[in-house]
């Protein structure tokens, strides 16, 4: 099936007389005839549902759809993108371990890794994703367990050279996790370029209607944990909390990562979406291919308009000819990048705020990548906690505006920008 078809058809095939739509199993609980039956589920001896914190059929069907779209082997939904990033990393890293991360990542993920995970004893080295292989290799240590980056950095819009980072990670015997939120599997499938695990904030384009917060983790099923047994004891040695199961042995390359993440992290930390929210996410997924085309078409028009306006000092959009990341975008995002355009206005931070005040259609919102056009000043919102130096490292300019093109008519979006620019 083509990706457009998977958006509609993957993850659930109704049998004779069953509902066409994914059913909402809004139940915490599942009934069994005998304690032995249930015991087998607890021991991971049989698959099935017993408590929604661990697994729920609606959530699993939606996860299976996204898994198919990314070309993965297994997937799980989480209650937010933040939970997806944390679980994916913490499923590999313990206290005493080390992460190599691109500096061009979402502010929330930056804080998660730089502050919260540090408190848990997990160390990090942030690298400039555009640096040379030689310099990036210097960031790896004996205790490095994973590499993390974003296909299209939010909000820097830097395109991550997935293949290069996958090779670097693999050379050091560790997997690459890619946050594919902005590109979505419609525009890029990181597994095709060697990434091992993909996460998304489904809150963005996948939901697409400003309706539900959520996340997903997808495993490619290709990373050979047992080949690097010493590095990954959590996956390659017996889990005492599951009667000595060794995930990588029992569930193989295809199933070990997601099974461990479900059985340990979801069990102990509990960040599941409600089945109702998974259902709403699925509605978004069904139209994702159609919407992404429109988001990209609108953003292309907006980027071209901004680039030709003399009140605008710079425009960053990977699919715009002449953009620093144009060549990488052609490789990784040949059908379009995303609906988000970053730019600066002449007159710096003050002019940026003045411009934003006069927008009417584009709303100021701490959100991005959705049907409604919205706009944000990252330096004073999502990236507010970062120092000037950290902002620079993330690729966030103090005067930068993150403009997220919705799926309205592009003429109306451009008219709104034109009007607001007339005030500065
Ligand atoms: C929003 C976002 C996140 C965090 O997701 P939430 O669903 O808000 O928790 C992570 N990564 C990227 C790229 C994002 O845009």
């Amino acid at each position: 099936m083509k990706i457009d078809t998977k958006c509609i058809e993957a993850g659930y095939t109704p049998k004779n007389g069953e509902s066409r739509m994914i059913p909402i199993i809004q139940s915490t609980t599942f009934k069994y005839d005998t304690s032995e039956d249930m015991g087998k589920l607890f021991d991971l001896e049989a698959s099935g549902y017993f408590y929604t914190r661990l697994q729920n059929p609606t959530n699993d069907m939606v996860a299976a759809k996204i898994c198919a779209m990314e070309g993965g082997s297994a997937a799980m939904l989480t209650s937010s993108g933040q939970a997806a990033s944390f679980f994916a990393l913490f499923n590999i890293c313990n206290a005493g371990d080390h992460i190599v991360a691109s500096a061009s990542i979402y502010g929330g993920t930056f804080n998660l890794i730089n502050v919260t995970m540090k408190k848990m004893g997990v160390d990090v080295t942030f690298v400039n994703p555009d640096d040379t292989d030689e310099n990036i290799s210097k960031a790896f240590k004996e205790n490095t367990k994973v590499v993390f980056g974003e296909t299209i950095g939010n909000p820097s819009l830097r395109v991550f050279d997935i293949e290069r980072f996958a090779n670097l990670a693999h050379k050091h015997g560790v997997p690459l996790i890619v946050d594919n939120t902005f590109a979505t599997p419609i525009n890029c499938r990181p597994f095709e370029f060697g990434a091992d695990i993909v996460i998304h904030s489904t809150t963005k384009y996948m939901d697409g209607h400003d309706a539900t917060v959520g996340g997903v983790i997808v495993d490619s099923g290709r990373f050979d944990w047992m080949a690097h047994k010493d590095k990954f004891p959590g996956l390659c040695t017996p889990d005492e909390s599951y009667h000595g199961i060794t995930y990588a042995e029992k569930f193989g390359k295809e199933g070990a990562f997601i099974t461990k993440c479900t059985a340990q992290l979801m069990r102990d930390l509990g960040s599941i979406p409600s089945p109702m929210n998974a259902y709403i996410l699925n509605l978004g997924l069904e139209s994702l291919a159609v919407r992404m085309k429109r988001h990209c078409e609108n953003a292309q028009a907006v980027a071209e308009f901004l680039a030709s306006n003399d009140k605008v000092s710079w425009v960053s959009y990977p699919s715009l000819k002449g953009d620093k990341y144009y060549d990488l975008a052609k490789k990784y995002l040949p059908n379009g990048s995303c609906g988000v355009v970053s730019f600066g206005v002449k007159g710096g931070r003050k002019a940026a705020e003045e411009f934003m005040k006069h927008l009417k259609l584009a709303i100021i919102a701490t959100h991005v990548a959705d049907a409604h056009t919205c706009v944000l000043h990252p330096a004073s919102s999502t990236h507010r906690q970062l120092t000037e130096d950290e902002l620079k490292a993330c690729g966030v300019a103090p005067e930068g505006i993150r403009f997220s093109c919705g799926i309205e008519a592009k003429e109306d979006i451009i008219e709104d920008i034109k009007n607001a620019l007339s005030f500065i």
Side-chain angles (χ1 to χ4, degrees), residues 21-198:
M21 281 305 283
I22 287 177
I24 306 168
I25 312 293
Q26 188 74 38
S27 179
T28 56
T29 323
F30 301 82
K31 177 246 173 194
Y32 287 90
D33 289 340
T34 69
S35 296
E36 286 99 303
D37 287 348
M38 188 169 280
K40 284 189 188 129
L41 301 180
F42 269 88
D43 287 351
L44 304 179
E45 287 296 327
S47 64
Y49 298 97
F50 57 96
Y51 189 54
T52 283
R53 168 151 48 76
L54 280 110
Q55 277 188 294
N56 171 280
T58 308
N59 295 356
D60 281 358
M61 287 182 244
V62 179
K65 174 177 282 188
I66 298 172
C67 188
M69 289 165 70
E70 285 287 6
S73 66
M76 66 194 279
L77 297 189
T78 57
S79 56
S80 68
Q82 283 302 104
S85 297
F86 175 60
F87 278 27
L89 289 165
F90 203 59
N91 205 35
I92 303 173
C93 298
N94 295 320
D97 290 343
H98 174 255
I99 298 168
V100 171
S102 160
S104 268
I105 54 174
Y106 174 66
T109 317
F110 188 89
N111 275 332
L112 166 69
I113 301 175
N114 193 43
V115 180
T116 301
M117 289 190 73
K118 262 191 197 153
K119 288 181 194 163
M120 299 170 152
V122 179
D123 197 14
V124 61
T125 303
F126 288 103
V127 296
N128 173 353
D130 301 332
D131 211 339
T132 60
D133 282 5
E134 198 190 345
N135 281 342
I136 292 165
S137 290
K138 285 184 196 147
F140 285 83
K141 302 179 184 182
E142 197 63 29
N143 58 342
T144 301
K145 297 297 167 71
V146 64
V147 179
F148 188 96
E150 275 174 29
T151 311
I152 305 173
N154 173 11
S156 66
L157 304 182
R158 288 176 174 172
V159 178
F160 187 60
D161 196 339
I162 299 170
E163 198 167 41
R164 189 161 79 89
F165 273 83
N167 287 337
L168 282 167
H170 297 160
K171 215 165 81 188
H172 292 87
V174 301
L176 171 67
I177 302 180
V178 172
D179 179 337
N180 196 32
T181 299
F182 267 28
T184 80
I186 304 301
N187 287 341
C188 178
R189 288 170 300 280
F191 296 155
E192 292 171 6
F193 301 100
D196 301 287
I197 292 149
V198 159

Side-chain angles (χ1 to χ4, degrees), residues 4 12 28 73 80 148 157 217-219 247 271 368 424:
D4 306 53
Y12 168 64
T28 56
S73 66
S80 68
F148 188 96
L157 304 182
I217 307 170
V218 190
D219 182 14
Y247 294 100
S271 306
V368 65
I424 60 168

Side-chain angles (χ1 to χ4, degrees), residues 208-229:
H209 298 80
D210 305 85
T212 54
V213 174
V216 67
I217 307 170
V218 190
D219 182 14
S220 68
R222 287 202 304 247
F223 193 81
D224 191 352
W225 307 103
M226 287 306 260
H228 309 280
K229 222 171 153 168

